[in-house]
């Protein structure tokens, strides 16, 4: 990248030099109609060739035009040099080289203008890309976002890093291309994240989930016993006693827990009204303590059969089982195969108030 930086800087000084040389030459010719004594073909030739080294990669068409003008100027210079003094045309050589320098100067102005616009665009893109890529990185870790989106988040970070390197070497056009690619990959993650969360705001789903929760709390109030409500979106377990909430606990769900559970191995946490069918501690569980619930229930079976019929469930996938509320949580991430994990301290509290038959309701959110 350093040669590019040096090249661009040298071109900046070259543009200034060309401007001064061109200005002095054209003013003299326009005012006197004669060649300025200080005009130098050699200096003009050197300036043109130095400028071409920068103009050629930035503006190939202009470089071809300058090549033709230089060739014409060289022919005129040779002709005038070979002519007898009385046959020479005053100012003809200077005019030819001024035409070269004028064209080069215009190219310099155009390149500098485009470079300034590219730098301005980079400043706009840099802030947006940094924000969007950071957001995509966070969203890619959401329970339910797939491997495709995780890959897109990594590629967004890669292209943003590349853009920053290009910008550091003032290659702003390339920086902007990489920044746009970073934004495109970030958008893949954003869309998936929004699609995943869309159902948590749907009125029909919210009404269903709230109904389940209200029925569960009412049952706890009628029976005078405990009840458990789990909010997947908020990662909360609410413990009720006689219809009153007695604890709000942090929970971790399946690695793809925000999705609807359809089959074994999808790592989604189910949604529905369940009950505890077995309490486990000691050697009966590897997760400190556990409450096994009666997943799959009849609604789960119906959803599974529909998934098979519509192709959403792989041919060899079963419906799954062994969904628990268990300990060994507190990892700060969603990591289970579909279960709900609590810290061991919180699991002690829930375990002490639970028994076979305790209602467990899992909802998207309420």
């Amino acid at each position: 990248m350093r040669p590019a930086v040096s090249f661009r800087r040298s071109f900046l000084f070259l543009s200034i030099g060309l401007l001064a040389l061109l200005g002095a030459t054209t003013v003299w010719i326009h005012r006197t109609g004669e060649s300025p004594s200080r005009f130098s073909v050699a200096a003009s030739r050197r300036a043109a060739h130095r400028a071409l080294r920068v103009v050629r990669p930035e503006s190939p068409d202009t470089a071809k035009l300058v090549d033709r003008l230089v060739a014409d100027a060289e022919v005129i210079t040779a002709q005038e040099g070979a002519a007898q003094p009385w046959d020479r045309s005053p100012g003809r050589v200077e005019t030819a080289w001024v035409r070269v320098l004028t064209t080069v100067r215009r190219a310099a102005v155009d390149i500098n203008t485009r470079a300034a616009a590219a730098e301005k665009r980079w400043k706009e893109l840099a802030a947006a890309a940094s924000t969007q890529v950071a957001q995509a990185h966070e969203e890619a870790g959401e329970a339910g976002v797939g491997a495709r989106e995780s890959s897109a988040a990594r590629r967004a970070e890669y292209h943003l890093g590349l853009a920053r390197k290009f910008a550091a070497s003032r290659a702003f056009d390339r920086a902007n291309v990489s920044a746009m690619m970073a934004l495109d990959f970030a958008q893949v993650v954003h869309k998936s994240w929004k699609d995943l969360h869309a159902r948590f705001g749907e009125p029909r789903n919210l009404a269903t989930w709230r109904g389940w929760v209200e029925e569960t709390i009412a049952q706890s109030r009628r029976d005078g016993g405990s009840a458990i409500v789990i909010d997947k979106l908020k990662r909360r377990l609410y413990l009720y006693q006689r219809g009153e909430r007695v604890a709000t606990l942090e929970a971790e769900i399946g690695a793809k827990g925000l999705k609807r559970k359809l089959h074994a191995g999808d790592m989604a946490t189910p949604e529905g009204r369940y009950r505890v069918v077995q309490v486990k501690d000691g050697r009966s569980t590897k997760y400190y303590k556990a409450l096994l619930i009666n997943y799959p229930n009849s609604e789960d079976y119906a959803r599974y059969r529909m998934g098979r019929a519509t192709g959403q469930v792989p041919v060899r996938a079963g419906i799954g089982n062994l969904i628990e509320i268990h300990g060994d949580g507190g990892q700060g991430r969603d990591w289970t195969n579909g279960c709900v994990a609590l810290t061991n301290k919180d699991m002690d509290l829930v375990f002490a108030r639970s028994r076979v038959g305790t209602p467990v309701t899992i909802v998207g959110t309420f």
Side-chain angles (χ1 to χ4, degrees):
M1 293 302 163
R2 288 187 177 180
V5 177
S6 176
F7 221 40
R8 290 177 182 272
R9 287 177 179 170
S10 65
F11 188 62
L12 176 61
F13 293 115
L14 176 61
S15 301
I16 296 172
L18 286 174
L19 178 60
L21 177 61
L22 176 62
T25 305
T26 52
V27 167
W28 185 284
I29 292 173
H30 288 167
R31 286 184 179 177
T32 68
E34 297 179 4
S35 302
S37 59
R38 63 176 130 176
F39 178 82
S40 168
V41 170
S44 298
R45 183 183 291 118
R46 287 195 301 270
H49 286 295
R50 285 174 57 197
L52 274 171
R53 296 208 315 266
V54 175
V55 171
R56 200 177 305 281
E58 299 286 343
S59 184
D61 290 340
T62 301
K64 290 179 181 178
L65 173 60
V66 174
D67 284 336
R68 291 197 297 271
L69 293 176
V70 168
D72 291 343
E74 294 287 9
V75 170
I76 292 171
T77 300
Q79 289 174 345
E80 290 296 308
Q84 296 297 328
W86 53 85
D87 286 333
R88 294 174 184 168
S89 301
R92 186 184 177 207
V93 173
E94 288 81 356
T95 300
W97 284 105
V98 165
R99 189 179 298 115
V100 172
L101 298 178
T102 300
T103 305
V104 170
R105 178 182 176 277
R106 288 173 180 167
V109 171
D110 180 62
I111 290 171
N112 288 339
T113 299
R114 286 190 283 115
E119 183 174 7
K120 181 181 178 182
R121 178 60 174 159
W122 162 249
K123 290 177 180 177
E124 296 169 350
L125 284 176
S130 295
T131 300
Q132 295 300 316
V133 171
Q135 182 180 339
H137 176 77
E138 184 175 340
E139 291 173 350
E142 179 67 286
V145 173
R148 171 175 171 269
E149 290 72 25
S150 296
S151 174
R154 290 192 297 271
R155 296 181 74 177
E157 291 173 340
Y158 167 77
H159 284 289
L160 178 58
L162 202 59
R164 287 170 173 162
K165 289 181 180 179
F166 286 139
S169 60
R170 303 192 65 79
F172 293 112
D173 283 332
R174 300 182 71 182
N176 292 337
V177 171
S178 292
M180 289 300 298
M181 292 184 70
L183 286 170
D184 287 344
F185 282 117
Q187 188 58 39
V188 172
V189 185
H190 298 334
K191 183 180 185 304
S192 178
W193 190 92
K194 288 177 181 177
D195 291 345
L196 177 66
H197 284 75
R199 69 190 190 92
F200 296 102
E202 292 177 0
R204 180 181 298 180
N205 288 339
L206 288 170
T208 298
W209 293 330
R210 287 168 181 161
W212 291 352
V213 172
E214 290 169 2
E215 292 170 9
T216 302
I217 296 172
Q219 181 180 348
S220 170
R221 187 177 296 113
R222 286 194 308 269
D223 298 344
S226 299
I228 296 169
V229 173
I230 296 164
D231 185 317
K232 295 202 308 182
L233 184 62
K234 294 181 179 178
R235 275 68 163 195
R236 296 286 187 275
L237 183 149
Y238 302 103
L239 181 62
Y240 291 85
Q241 188 74 42
R242 299 185 182 86
E244 299 295 327
R245 186 184 298 178
V246 296
T248 300
L249 309 173
E250 299 281 343
E252 295 159 354
I253 59 177
K256 296 186 179 180
L258 292 186
K259 290 188 174 181
R260 288 189 177 96
K261 188 165 187 63
L262 291 177
H263 59 86
D266 62 8
M267 294 185 288
T269 298
E271 298 160 17
R273 296 193 64 190
Y274 305 99
R275 67 181 186 279
V276 175
V277 293
Q278 184 180 354
V279 294
K280 302 179 180 181
D281 62 355
R283 295 184 178 180
S284 62
T285 177
K286 62 178 181 178
Y287 295 114
Y288 182 62
K289 293 178 181 178
L291 303 173
L292 178 67
I293 65 174
N294 64 321
Y295 172 87
N297 60 22
S298 58
E299 289 82 5
D300 297 319
Y301 273 112
R303 190 177 302 111
Y304 171 76
R305 287 192 292 269
M306 179 62 71
R308 288 293 297 271
T310 58
Q312 297 179 68
V313 175
V315 175
R316 297 183 179 181
I319 191 170
N321 56 11
L322 300 178
I323 299 297
E324 301 176 335
I325 301 169
H326 60 64
D328 285 350
Q331 299 186 24
R333 61 187 180 93
D334 296 312
W335 58 276
T336 74
N337 287 325
C339 297
V340 176
L342 305 175
T343 64
N344 290 349
K345 179 181 178 181
D346 289 344
M347 192 63 210
D348 284 335
L349 174 62
V350 174
F351 195 85
R353 291 176 178 263
S354 302
R355 56 179 176 78
V356 172
T358 295
V360 176
T361 295
I362 306 175
V363 298
T365 190
F366 68 101

